Amino acid sequence: MSNCYCGSSLSFENCCAPYLKNHQKAPTAEALMRSRYSAFATGAADYLVATTHVSQRKFHNKADILEWSKSNHWIKLEVLATTETTVTFKAYYLDSELKAQIHNEHSTFIFENGSWYYLDGKY
């Protein structure tokens, strides 16, 4: 088995898959961010919408998320820094023209009603 998309040494089935399949909730903001990266890598748009805070969902169209997810080839995730509610990371991918891209973001998360949610990010 290969390592999870999120860069952990665990297999996808033992790392992010339980979150994407809604079998478990991500226990930390970092775990949620890593699982969201895996969701982009696997085209799990429903998970991405569901883990976006309700106040922000109107800004995230499921069809657009799925299109962007599938039009890129996700290479790796690099977590640069974390706090309880923030994660700074770089996501490496090839775009639809096979040009190397790096998405650098400082994301903010919120814990509400027993679940972590993506709130926003600064690029």
Side-chain angles (χ1 to χ4, degrees):
M1 263 190 249
S2 62
N3 291 351
C4 188
Y5 299 96
C6 79
S8 79
S9 60
L10 299 173
S11 69
F12 175 67
E13 289 303 317
N14 291 318
C15 189
C16 289
Y19 307 136
L20 272 64
K21 294 176 181 177
N22 205 26
H23 295 162
Q24 294 178 11
K25 292 182 180 183
T28 65
E30 181 180 352
L32 180 65
M33 191 282 309
R34 287 180 175 278
S35 68
R36 286 175 56 87
Y37 177 87
S38 290
F40 276 110
T42 61
D46 287 332
Y47 181 78
L48 291 164
V49 171
T51 58
T52 298
H53 191 263
V54 67
S55 68
Q56 302 299 307
R57 287 183 189 164
K58 63 186 173 198
F59 304 115
H60 301 272
N61 176 287
K62 179 182 166 185
D64 291 343
I65 292 170
L66 186 59
E67 162 63 28
W68 194 68
S69 167
K70 291 188 173 227
S71 68
N72 297 307
H73 175 74
W74 301 91
I75 299 170
K76 78 173 184 173
L77 174 68
E78 181 181 10
V79 175
L80 304 173
T82 63
T83 68
E84 184 180 3
T85 60
T86 66
V87 180
T88 303
F89 67 91
K90 289 183 181 180
Y92 297 81
Y93 64 96
L94 298 177
D95 66 17
S96 59
E97 297 176 2
L98 300 179
K99 292 182 182 175
Q101 302 289 336
I102 301 172
H103 176 86
N104 192 348
E105 183 174 328
H106 178 77
S107 298
T108 303
F109 298 85
I110 188 169
F111 189 73
E112 190 171 272
N113 299 322
S115 296
W116 282 101
Y117 295 95
Y118 171 79
L119 189 59
D120 61 20
K122 295 180 183 171
Y123 313 102

